[in-house]
Amino acid sequence: MKAEIGARNCLYPMPTTLVGALVEGKPNYITIAHVGIMDPGSVSLGMNKMHFTNVGIGANGTFSVNIPSVKMVEETDYCGLVSGKNLDKAGLFKTFFCKLRTAPMIEECPINMECRLTRTVDFPSHDIFIGEVIETCCDEGVLTDGFVDLAKVDPILFTMNDRSYWKLGGRFAKAWSIGNKLKDRK
Amino acid sequence: MKAEIGARNCLYPMPTTLVGALVEGKPNYITIAHVGIMDPGSVSLGMNKMHFTNVGIGANGTFSVNIPSVKMVEETDYCGLVSGKNLDKAGLFKTFFCKLRTAPMIEECPINMECRLTRTVDFPSHDIFIGEVIETCCDEGVLTDGFVDLAKVDPILFTMNDRSYWKLGGRFAKAWSIGNKLKDRK
């Protein structure tokens, strides 16, 4: 039996990220889980216009997307609770740069993507920043046969419904593969 | 030690969805995991322009986002392996409609969102369809205290890195809450 529950966004869980930008010349990090994948090489960030970080992304045309591990959940949640307007959140982490000189990244996060802003989509209360991934850095310890292994990353997944963080469970099937059984039967 | 691994998109896992649209008047479903959240009420779909479904979304200005459960993994993967140009994939499922008359939804999926197309962002090989959620239907069995409970939905999470499907793990912390410990210590 289907229940109609109103216009509720249930496209969850989403990966929780720490987005980095230089704001007024200083690194700043903010927790964002309203993210997306556009084409395979591009990502999106849905960021309320009130955030301090938005100004820096617009000014520099660059940002970073850092994927924290479950063990970083306190710091990750904290970066969504306080604004860089009032507090220096970058002091929580060791900042590094790679190819882009204006996309600060977090050493402690096992995955870091530096992005060049390619488009901004304007929503009434949100800037949607779309960026092309320019370079990806990762801890060597999260690679398995040269691939980023999410089981080793241990990401923090987010659901808005119950405002909770979740762990990733186990890998259970191959994509573009398990459906072949059904294809063969058709 | 950080490794530079090239411009690899690591914004995973993403929820695997079955996107529904009427194409040439008939329901069609396609597997899409390159999705996103824009502002809280809007979602995005990153869809290669070669897909049959894109024509229907553009023509009707509506689509649905259906969240399949782990037990539907064969059907879900299958809908990404074959094209509606050649095969009627809608026959796999029971189709229903809610408020929008041109956004077919899948009865067997525990969550169904019907969306109105509000913008299309043009990428070289992809259409990014952005839609506002108009109504959400769900199986009554996935609700806990009126909230959609992802543990009951048992969604299929996708990673491109290793082309795999993953289960959701356990809920382990409250968002906008666990970081308060750190805030108090600052």
Side-chain angles (χ1 to χ4, degrees):
Chain A
M1 185 69 187
K2 291 282 178 187
E4 291 177 31
I5 58 172
R8 285 202 219 158
N9 193 341
C10 292
L11 190 60
Y12 294 99
M14 279 285 159
T16 308
T17 74
L18 288 164
V19 169
L22 284 189
V23 189
E24 297 167 4
K26 288 194 290 194
N28 190 58
Y29 300 107
I30 182 171
T31 316
I32 299 290
H34 283 169
V35 294
I37 295 181
M38 308 273 96
D39 71 355
S42 295
V43 299
S44 66
L45 312 173
M47 292 182 52
N48 194 297
K49 290 180 181 178
M50 293 187 310
H51 291 314
F52 185 59
T53 309
N54 295 32
V55 180
I57 294 176
N60 296 301
T62 57
F63 61 85
S64 73
V65 178
N66 304 271
I67 312 282
S69 292
V70 164
K71 66 181 175 193
M72 296 174 67
V73 68
E74 279 189 34
E75 291 85 347
T76 301
D77 193 52
Y78 174 82
C79 287
L81 286 169
V82 302
S83 171
K85 274 177 207 148
N86 315 312
L87 272 162
D88 173 21
K89 292 185 270 184
L92 282 173
F93 310 109
K94 189 171 171 195
T95 289
F96 75 106
F97 293 86
C98 187
K99 292 206 163 54
L100 302 175
R101 306 314 301 172
T102 52
M105 297 189 282
I106 297 175
E107 180 81 30
E108 291 85 346
C109 287
I111 298 176
N112 321 93
M113 293 185 282
E114 47 179 8
C115 301
R116 182 171 290 131
L117 182 69
T118 57
R119 301 152 203 248
T120 304
V121 183
D122 188 50
F123 272 67
S125 60
H126 283 64
D127 293 317
I128 314 303
F129 294 116
I130 298 176
E132 182 189 352
V133 180
I134 299 299
E135 180 65 69
T136 304
C137 300
C138 74
D139 291 353
E140 288 183 349
V142 302
L143 293 170
T144 298
D145 300 331
F147 289 98
V148 169
D149 187 341
L150 267 278
K152 293 178 178 173
V153 172
D154 201 16
I156 301 168
L157 309 185
F158 171 76
T159 55
M160 181 66 106
N161 323 63
D162 52 2
R163 298 165 68 98
S164 294
Y165 296 124
W166 303 65
K167 294 188 187 191
L168 178 63
R171 193 191 274 119
F172 72 96
K174 293 299 284 180
W176 291 287
S177 172
I178 194 171
N180 277 319
K181 293 184 202 172
L182 197 56
K183 198 173 164 185
D184 295 342
R185 285 203 295 272
K186 289 276 155 184
Chain B
M1 186 67 187
K2 292 281 178 187
E4 292 177 31
I5 58 173
R8 285 202 219 159
N9 193 341
C10 291
L11 190 61
Y12 294 100
M14 280 284 159
T16 308
T17 74
L18 287 164
V19 169
L22 283 189
V23 189
E24 298 167 3
K26 289 194 289 196
N28 190 57
Y29 300 108
I30 183 170
T31 317
I32 299 291
H34 283 170
V35 294
I37 296 182
M38 308 273 97
D39 71 355
S42 295
V43 297
S44 66
L45 312 173
M47 293 181 50
N48 193 298
K49 290 181 181 178
M50 292 188 311
H51 291 314
F52 185 58
T53 308
N54 294 32
V55 180
I57 294 176
N60 295 302
T62 59
F63 60 86
S64 73
V65 178
N66 305 271
I67 312 281
S69 292
V70 164
K71 66 181 176 194
M72 296 173 68
V73 67
E74 279 190 34
E75 291 86 346
T76 301
D77 193 53
Y78 174 81
C79 287
L81 286 169
V82 301
S83 171
K85 275 177 207 149
N86 315 313
L87 272 162
D88 173 21
K89 292 185 270 185
L92 281 172
F93 309 109
K94 189 171 171 193
T95 289
F96 76 105
F97 293 86
C98 186
K99 292 206 164 53
L100 302 176
R101 306 314 300 171
T102 53
M105 296 189 282
I106 296 174
E107 180 80 31
E108 290 85 346
C109 287
I111 298 177
N112 320 93
M113 294 186 281
E114 47 180 9
C115 301
R116 182 171 291 130
L117 182 69
T118 56
R119 302 153 202 247
T120 304
V121 183
D122 188 49
F123 272 66
S125 60
H126 284 65
D127 293 317
I128 314 302
F129 294 116
I130 298 177
E132 183 189 352
V133 180
I134 299 299
E135 179 66 68
T136 304
C137 301
C138 73
D139 292 353
E140 288 182 350
V142 302
L143 293 170
T144 297
D145 301 331
F147 289 98
V148 169
D149 187 340
L150 268 277
K152 294 178 177 172
V153 172
D154 200 16
I156 300 168
L157 309 184
F158 170 75
T159 55
M160 181 66 105
N161 323 62
D162 51 2
R163 300 164 68 98
S164 294
Y165 296 124
W166 303 66
K167 295 188 187 191
L168 179 62
R171 194 192 273 117
F172 72 96
K174 293 299 283 179
W176 291 287
S177 172
I178 193 169
N180 276 320
K181 294 183 201 171
L182 196 56
K183 198 173 165 186
D184 295 341
R185 284 202 296 272
K186 289 276 154 186

